[in-house]
């Protein structure tokens, strides 16, 4: 009998049994049906647990006993045993059921239970655990969530294979009424997304000795955002987190959890603002950046970082136009000092742009004259991102068509026909995968129809011997993204570089050029840094997990298309 038939039989038999037995069988069915510890994960993460490596840290305050029992079951059932420490702080619980559950759980040999009579709060409670943990890494674990049964083995394997990094984070999903939903397959470390979203939670592993050195869990202002604050402290000290690209953590959704209700904790807004202030404190001069609520969200704790005037580099807009003899229109730039506009003939291609660029320094803005700008602060947005993340060489955004659908946004190497945007054709009111369409983040490439470059990088790109023969202005964003990756530069997408166009810029790119791009940059495909390695590359199913064999077949199909298109000399 195969697995699927066995699961369905188990589920069917349970329907006619008494409720207690039915409930137990349902839990078994759910565990089997959602078990992610398949053969691939077992082979990929084979390192056995190491005593003294991991300490799971949990603070408890009146948590419902069934939630505690589910968490304990997920820990005690870890593959390879319990060669780790589970440090629990009873943070002043008064509920008798909670205290009985903790006493029962504490009988397990891997558990160390402490209690304080008065609730210390989240931050002081976590500090209590940090100071008493014995493992090399602490892993903050909420009292109402659960782990996959291979969590400890997967973290151990990646820690060892990466030479014991300072901190790690994993993928996650949410747990709603016994169902696992909203799986978040995350990108690798992206400081731009991190500034705008605490995507690194959950599960985190943090080097304990460094956490003590950096003052983790000492600032009461970050009561509701301790993971974000911890990673910020490590980031400011030069550490790069390692991504654990597997779902090992399920965040329970209920009325008292921010997983379901962002307003369940009144201090979240102030906590997040305090974290962002810490992040910005590492960037001088003081007061150059201000923190505002993002206008794209409905007053939720989602943020935009604004750059104040002062000490700006020069800015030139190169207006890509069919008729450069027409009077140059005014390009709104929210008072950016010294902003000038230079027309460039589209028909002249990259050679005309290179000539117009000349020896210009500072920032070079490419703008197709078919784009109507919708956010006049685009220049300040690009400047802020380039200053906060100095390796950034290009910033671009989203373009909408007349029906308010996205035609251009963050593009990924290997997606679609070489470098397309998974969010293409989303309506304007759709925030995309985990709201990333509405948040700045790093990506493979952005469209050249409305983008800001470091002038020196753009000159290097255009001055290549073969640039004029293989690059078009319409597809320059993709070529720029590949060049940036090879030169160690960053490309950033921001929703605040926002425009609208009647014509779809993508239609100006020939199949021949797309094929040439694929063949020249196949080693960069598919994108695995700023998109989950589990995602497929089919534009009809964007940002969805696909089996490894299917992903490989999609990539090979793209290469075959590129080879045949190049061989046939396809022009459109």
């Amino acid at each position: 009998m195969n697995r699927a038939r066995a699961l369905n039989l188990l589920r069917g038999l349970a329907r006619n049994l008494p409720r207690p037995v039915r409930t137990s069988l349902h839990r078994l069915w759910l565990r089997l049906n959602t078990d992610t510890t398949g053969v691939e994960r077992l082979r990929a993460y084979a390192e056995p647990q190491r005593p003294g490596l991991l300490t799971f840290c949990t603070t408890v305050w009146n948590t419902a006993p069934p939630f505690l029992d589910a968490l304990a079951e997920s820990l005690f059932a870890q593959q390879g045993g319990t060669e780790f420490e589970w440090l629990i702080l009873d943070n002043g619980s008064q509920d008798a059921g909670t205290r009985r559950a903790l006493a029962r759980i504490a009988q397990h040999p891997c558990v160390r239970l402490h209690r304080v009579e008065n609730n210390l709060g989240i931050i002081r409670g976590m500090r209590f655990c940090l100071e008493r943990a014995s493992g090399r890494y602490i892993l903050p674990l909420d009292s109402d969530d659960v782990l996959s049964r291979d969590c400890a083995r997967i973290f151990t394997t990646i820690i060892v294979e990466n030479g014991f990094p300072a901190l790690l984070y994993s993928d996650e999903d949410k747990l709603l009424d016994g169902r696992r939903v909203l799986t978040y397959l995350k990108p690798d470390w992206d400081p731009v997304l991190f500034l705008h979203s605490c995507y690194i939670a959950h599960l985190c592993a943090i080097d304990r000795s460094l956490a003590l050195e950096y003052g983790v869990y000492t600032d009461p202002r970050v009561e509701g955002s301790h993971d974000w604050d911890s990673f910020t402290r490590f980031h400011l000290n030069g550490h790069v987190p390692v991504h654990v690209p597997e779902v090992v953590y399920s965040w329970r959704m209920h009325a008292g959890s921010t997983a379901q209700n962002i307003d369940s904790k009144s201090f979240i807004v102030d906590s997040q603002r305090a974290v962002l202030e810490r992040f910005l404190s590492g960037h001088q001069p003081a007061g150059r950046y201000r923190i505002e609520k993002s206008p794209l969200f409905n007053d939720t704790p989602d943020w935009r970082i604004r750059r104040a005037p002062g000490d700006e580099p020069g800015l030139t807009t190169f207006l890509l136009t069919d008729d450069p003899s027409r009077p140059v229109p005014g390009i709104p730039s929210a008072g950016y000092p010294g902003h000038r506009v230079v027309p460039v003939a589209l028909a002249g291609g990259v050679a005309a742009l290179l000539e117009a660029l000349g020896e210009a320094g500072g920032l070079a803005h490419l703008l197709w004259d078919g784009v109507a700008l919708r956010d006049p602060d685009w220049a300040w947005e690009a400047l802020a991102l380039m200053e906060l993340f100095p390796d950034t060489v290009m910033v671009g955004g989203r373009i909408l068509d007349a029906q308010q659908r996205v035609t251009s946004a963050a593009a990924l190497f290997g997606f679609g026909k070489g470098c397309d945007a998974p969010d293409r054709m989303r309506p304007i009111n759709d925030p995309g995968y985990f709201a990333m369409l509405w948040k700045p983040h790093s990506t493979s490439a952005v469209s050249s129809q409305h983008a800001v470059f470091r002038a020196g990088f753009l000159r290097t790109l255009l001055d290549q011997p073969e640039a004029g023969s293989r690059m078009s202005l319409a597809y320059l964003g993709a070529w720029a993204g590949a060049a940036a990756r090879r030169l160690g530069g960053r490309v950033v997408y921001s929703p605040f570089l926002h425009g609208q166009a009647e014509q779809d810029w993508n239609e100006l790119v020939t199949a021949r050029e797309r094929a040439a791009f694929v063949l020249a940059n196949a080693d960069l495909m598919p994108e695995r840094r700023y998109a989950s390695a589990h995602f497929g590359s089919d534009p009809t199913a964007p940002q969805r997990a696909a089996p490894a064999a299917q992903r490989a077949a999609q990539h090979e199909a793209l290469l075959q298309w590129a080879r045949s298109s190049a061989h046939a000399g396809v022009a459109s």
Side-chain angles (χ1 to χ4, degrees):
M1 181 181 297
N2 63 31
R3 175 185 172 88
R5 289 184 63 190
L7 290 170
N8 288 331
L9 178 61
L10 179 62
R11 181 171 54 181
L13 288 172
R15 292 194 185 102
N16 300 316
L17 293 173
R19 182 177 179 83
V21 179
R22 186 167 71 245
T23 300
S24 297
L25 282 177
H26 173 71
R27 288 175 178 170
L28 175 60
W29 175 86
L30 181 66
R31 183 187 303 169
L32 291 170
N33 198 39
T34 58
D35 182 73
T36 53
T37 59
V39 174
E40 287 188 14
R41 275 175 47 155
L42 192 61
R43 290 174 177 170
Y45 307 103
E47 188 73 27
Q49 294 181 35
R50 296 192 176 190
L53 185 66
L54 307 180
T55 294
F56 293 95
C57 296
T58 302
T59 64
V60 178
W61 181 71
N62 294 335
T63 303
F67 293 169
L68 287 172
D69 290 340
L71 172 59
E73 181 183 0
S74 72
L75 273 160
F76 299 157
Q78 288 294 302
Q79 295 173 352
T82 53
E83 299 292 334
F84 50 79
E85 176 182 58
W86 185 15
L87 184 63
I88 305 175
L89 171 64
D90 180 354
N91 206 357
S93 296
Q94 301 303 313
D95 184 270
T98 300
R99 296 178 68 170
R100 285 195 298 270
L102 288 175
R104 183 172 62 252
I105 290 169
Q107 295 176 16
H108 195 283
C110 79
V111 175
R112 290 174 56 205
L113 175 63
H114 296 266
R115 175 174 169 82
V116 293
E117 293 302 319
N118 297 312
N119 192 308
L120 300 176
I122 298 172
I123 289 296
R124 290 176 60 205
M126 289 303 299
R127 183 70 187 188
F128 182 101
C129 293
L130 172 64
E131 292 175 349
R132 289 160 178 79
S134 63
R136 179 166 178 172
Y137 292 87
I138 61 163
L139 295 86
L141 177 58
D142 289 349
S143 62
D144 50 1
D145 299 335
V146 296
L147 301 178
S148 71
R149 292 185 297 165
D150 57 358
C151 174
R153 192 189 74 241
I154 288 176
F155 262 83
T156 299
T157 300
I158 294 185
I159 285 171
V160 172
E161 289 181 348
N162 286 273
F164 298 85
L167 67 174
L168 308 90
Y169 66 96
S170 76
D171 295 347
E172 64 178 313
D173 59 20
K174 291 184 171 66
L175 192 61
L176 177 63
D177 298 330
R179 295 178 294 111
R180 287 180 169 85
V181 298
L182 298 175
T183 300
Y184 190 3
L185 302 177
K186 304 173 185 178
D188 286 349
W189 172 244
D190 175 8
V192 183
L193 180 61
F194 176 74
L195 176 61
H196 297 87
S197 175
C198 184
Y199 79 100
I200 50 83
H202 311 81
L203 178 69
C204 304
I206 305 170
D207 183 285
R208 180 172 54 86
S209 62
L210 290 175
L212 290 167
E213 178 182 345
Y214 298 152
V216 167
Y217 309 136
T218 59
D219 186 352
R221 298 180 307 154
V222 300
E223 183 75 3
S225 305
H226 64 77
D227 288 333
W228 207 2
D229 183 67
S230 299
F231 273 60
T232 295
R233 291 171 183 267
F234 275 74
H235 171 69
L236 293 176
N237 280 282
H239 297 285
V240 177
V242 170
H243 178 207
V244 177
E246 303 291 350
V247 176
V248 298
Y249 191 100
S250 294
W251 189 13
R252 190 180 297 275
M253 298 178 70
H254 57 84
S257 167
T258 53
Q260 180 169 319
N261 178 15
I262 193 63
D263 297 321
S264 63
K265 295 182 173 66
S266 60
F267 44 78
I268 289 295
V269 170
D270 290 340
S271 293
Q272 291 193 2
R273 184 179 289 276
V275 172
L276 294 174
E277 288 172 353
R278 185 181 312 284
F279 187 103
L280 296 175
S281 70
H283 301 271
Q284 299 298 323
R288 170 163 285 179
Y289 307 99
R290 63 182 186 273
I291 304 164
E292 297 181 359
K293 288 282 190 72
S294 171
L296 300 179
F297 294 84
N298 186 23
D299 201 38
T300 57
D302 294 279
W303 306 95
R304 181 179 185 181
I305 308 302
R306 305 295 293 269
R307 209 276 197 185
D311 298 322
E312 308 85 1
L315 171 65
T316 303
T317 291
F318 295 93
L319 189 65
L320 309 177
T321 176
D322 289 324
D323 186 2
S325 65
R326 289 185 302 195
V328 176
I331 306 297
S333 58
Y336 195 101
H339 177 211
R340 66 191 188 103
V341 181
V342 175
V344 176
L346 272 171
V350 298
L353 177 58
L354 178 61
E355 182 179 359
L357 181 64
E359 298 302 318
L363 305 181
H365 174 222
L366 299 193
L367 178 65
W368 177 37
D369 67 357
V371 174
L373 299 183
R374 292 290 182 250
D375 191 328
D377 290 327
W378 56 269
W380 299 105
E381 174 75 5
L383 178 59
L385 291 166
M386 288 181 171
E387 289 177 336
L388 291 171
F389 308 98
D391 58 347
T392 301
V393 296
M394 181 184 183
V395 180
R398 54 182 178 152
I399 306 297
L400 305 177
D401 64 12
Q403 287 73 46
Q404 300 297 291
R405 299 171 304 183
V406 173
T407 57
S408 295
L412 298 176
F413 297 142
F415 187 82
K417 289 299 184 183
C419 191
D420 292 336
D423 291 308
R424 180 171 164 81
M425 293 296 116
R426 284 190 189 271
I428 188 175
N429 59 354
D430 184 342
Y433 187 76
F434 284 85
M436 287 181 65
L437 187 57
W438 291 1
K439 294 176 180 287
H441 60 273
S442 302
T443 190
S444 303
V446 290
S447 176
S448 52
Q449 60 191 305
H450 177 28
V452 178
F453 296 77
R454 293 190 187 274
F457 167 76
L458 181 59
R459 186 178 300 106
T460 298
L461 172 68
L462 300 176
D463 204 22
Q464 299 177 53
E466 299 180 359
S469 61
R470 67 178 182 176
M471 297 181 191
S472 70
L473 293 176
Y475 209 49
L476 191 62
W479 294 104
R485 181 64 58 88
R486 298 186 189 287
L487 294 172
R490 182 182 304 277
V491 176
V492 175
Y493 161 85
S494 170
F496 302 113
L497 272 74
H498 179 198
Q500 185 170 342
E502 297 293 327
Q503 183 180 3
D504 189 346
W505 184 254
N506 297 280
E507 294 176 353
L508 303 180
V509 185
T510 67
R512 176 184 294 174
E513 183 175 9
R514 290 181 183 274
F517 178 83
V518 170
L519 296 177
N521 297 289
D523 59 312
L524 303 179
M525 302 177 186
E527 174 64 77
R528 289 295 176 256
R529 181 180 301 180
Y530 300 126
S532 171
H534 297 289
F535 285 161
S537 56
D538 182 357
T540 66
Q543 295 160 318
R544 294 184 189 174
Q550 182 178 341
R551 298 194 303 268
Q554 290 171 349
H555 180 60
E556 182 57 33
L558 175 63
L559 295 179
Q560 289 181 1
W561 169 82
R563 295 186 195 105
S564 62
S565 296
H567 179 74
V570 175
S572 62

